[in-house]
Amino acid sequence: MRKVDPELHAAKREAILDAAADLFGRNGYDATRTADICRAAGMSTGNMFHYFPTKRAVLLAVAERDGQRTAAALAGIAEATDIRAALLDTLEAVCHIAADRTAAGLQLEISAEAQRDPELAELFRTGDRGLRAAFETALAAGIGSGAFDSALDPARTATWLAALVDGVFARVAADPEFDPVRETPTLHHLAAALLPRPGTVGI
Amino acid sequence: MRKVDPELHAAKREAILDAAADLFGRNGYDATRTADICRAAGMSTGNMFHYFPTKRAVLLAVAERDGQRTAAALAGIAEATDIRAALLDTLEAVCHIAADRTAAGLQLEISAEAQRDPELAELFRTGDRGLRAAFETALAAGIGSGAFDSALDPARTATWLAALVDGVFARVAADPEFDPVRETPTLHHLAAALLPRPGTVGI
């Protein structure tokens, strides 16, 4: 019996997810065949089934990894010395991600497929809760350090920062001429309206 | 040969679109059968094919009507005496529409299906251009009447008002606890940051 090397197994699994995320984002979930994913990941079609039983399972794993990566990327904001600057930097990073049509396309595919798949919808919502929780923790820390007025409501403000992020991705989908990187200053301007300095009034 | 009464034909067509919009929004496009639409519209299944050849054609017509209704609803803003108030009223109306889970669900279904249907994607984008054009016309009129600072860029501001609308719908989809009507003041606060009064600075 062949022994499975756990590190090699994990590396192959990641390679499948990378290939699938790229193809789903570029060509859509429906148009991507399992054989396409295997070719892009450099393995035979039969081999993929040691890692994922179906294309659906690959999509679920892509969505789950996406949520975990977002949470990990945002976890650092609360530790920053200048939390306001760290939040604005994060929003700028969002604009760069949204400018990558493949990454933006993947987000759209996940939200579209979540409309018809309760399991994916739950993963999508879990990822969203993680995003808002990370913003909320950072906002609470920023009140503590005097970056924001103490009247700021961390949960509501986190929700509206998420709405601004959603808005940027939606504009990329709706309008081929929308350039999110060029629009970063406006996103910062709107975020500033949500982030009152001590002694000023926000939402 | 039976003569077709144009008014009756138009009324039946509208009844099909009303029934379909409700079912697509409530249960999703995939889960809705042509027979369900016909039953809800009070006609036999065979009869529907005098109006629409396929369920897909019904969805396209729903999306097209949706875009036309949005454009018509927004066309009045530019004529208002107080354009700022009319814009804020429109955003409040958006919050009420988003609070109707069936209407919000329909928007999501249209954008999800547009991911895999170029014809629907084009209708979706045409509707979006109409929305932005209506905002832009109103903003230009508001500069003329002294409601907004003359440095306001109508096209860019229209794009960001659309992003805020997108953000509200996206929050409804992502977070079952998000109540858009309760959040209207925050939407107004963010819109105000995009709508500088004469002599003040916006985006």
Side-chain angles (χ1 to χ4, degrees):
Chain A
M1 205 181 135
R2 214 171 65 180
K3 272 169 83 178
V4 175
D5 174 342
E7 276 187 36
L8 186 65
H9 186 90
K12 284 254 185 187
R13 193 178 180 280
E14 285 298 296
I16 293 167
L17 296 182
D18 289 343
D22 182 67
L23 289 163
F24 294 159
R26 199 177 299 276
N27 306 327
Y29 175 77
D30 271 2
T32 300
R33 295 167 310 161
T34 303
D36 301 329
I37 300 171
C38 294
R39 192 176 314 110
M43 60 171 57
S44 71
T45 305
N47 200 6
M48 198 192 92
F49 297 105
H50 292 298
Y51 301 89
F52 298 101
T54 60
K55 186 173 84 164
R56 199 70 185 168
V58 177
L59 179 65
L60 289 169
V62 164
E64 188 170 25
R65 189 179 71 165
D66 214 56
Q68 289 163 347
R69 283 182 174 177
T70 302
L74 298 186
I77 307 176
E79 315 297 329
T81 317
D82 184 341
I83 289 185
R84 173 185 295 275
L87 271 171
L88 296 181
D89 286 351
T90 299
L91 294 177
E92 184 172 357
V94 164
C95 288
H96 283 270
I97 293 168
D100 172 354
R101 299 261 156 192
T102 302
L106 178 64
Q107 292 306 316
L108 274 171
E109 282 299 305
I110 291 174
S111 56
E113 290 296 323
Q115 280 294 101
R116 53 188 57 76
D117 181 331
E119 197 180 349
L120 185 59
E122 189 45 46
L123 276 175
F124 180 58
R125 289 186 171 169
T126 301
D128 184 66
R129 276 194 296 273
L131 172 87
R132 284 183 284 126
F135 278 145
E136 192 176 335
T137 304
L139 291 163
I143 294 170
S145 71
F148 311 124
D149 190 80
S150 62
L152 181 148
D153 177 335
R156 283 192 64 227
T157 305
T159 288
W160 278 95
L161 288 173
L164 292 180
V165 170
D166 294 334
V168 169
F169 275 95
R171 282 299 94 203
V172 170
D175 179 4
E177 288 176 31
F178 183 79
D179 175 348
V181 173
R182 206 184 56 199
E183 297 291 337
T184 305
T186 304
L187 182 60
H188 280 174
H189 175 79
L190 288 170
L194 296 173
L195 302 172
R197 292 182 189 276
T200 68
V201 177
I203 59 174
Chain B
M1 201 181 139
R2 214 170 67 180
K3 275 171 76 176
V4 175
D5 174 343
E7 276 188 35
L8 186 64
H9 186 90
K12 284 253 184 187
R13 193 177 180 282
E14 285 298 296
I16 294 167
L17 296 182
D18 289 343
D22 181 69
L23 288 163
F24 294 159
R26 200 178 297 278
N27 306 326
Y29 174 77
D30 272 2
T32 300
R33 296 167 310 162
T34 303
D36 301 328
I37 300 171
C38 294
R39 192 177 312 113
M43 59 171 56
S44 71
T45 306
N47 200 8
M48 197 192 92
F49 298 104
H50 293 296
Y51 302 88
F52 298 100
T54 59
K55 187 174 83 166
R56 199 69 185 169
V58 178
L59 179 65
L60 288 170
V62 164
E64 189 171 24
R65 188 178 72 164
D66 214 56
Q68 289 163 347
R69 284 183 174 178
T70 301
L74 299 186
I77 306 176
E79 316 298 328
T81 317
D82 184 342
I83 289 186
R84 173 184 295 275
L87 271 171
L88 297 181
D89 285 351
T90 299
L91 293 176
E92 184 172 357
V94 165
C95 288
H96 282 271
I97 293 167
D100 172 354
R101 298 260 155 194
T102 302
L106 178 63
Q107 293 306 315
L108 273 171
E109 283 298 305
I110 291 173
S111 56
E113 291 297 321
Q115 280 294 100
R116 53 187 58 74
D117 182 331
E119 197 180 349
L120 185 58
E122 190 43 47
L123 276 175
F124 181 57
R125 288 185 173 170
T126 301
D128 183 66
R129 277 193 296 272
L131 172 87
R132 284 182 286 127
F135 277 144
E136 192 177 336
T137 304
L139 290 164
I143 293 170
S145 71
F148 311 124
D149 189 78
S150 61
L152 181 147
D153 177 335
R156 284 192 63 226
T157 305
T159 289
W160 277 96
L161 288 173
L164 292 180
V165 171
D166 294 333
V168 169
F169 275 95
R171 282 297 95 203
V172 170
D175 178 4
E177 288 174 30
F178 184 79
D179 175 349
V181 173
R182 205 183 56 197
E183 298 290 337
T184 305
T186 304
L187 182 60
H188 280 174
H189 174 79
L190 288 170
L194 295 174
L195 302 172
R197 294 180 188 279
T200 68
V201 177
I203 59 173

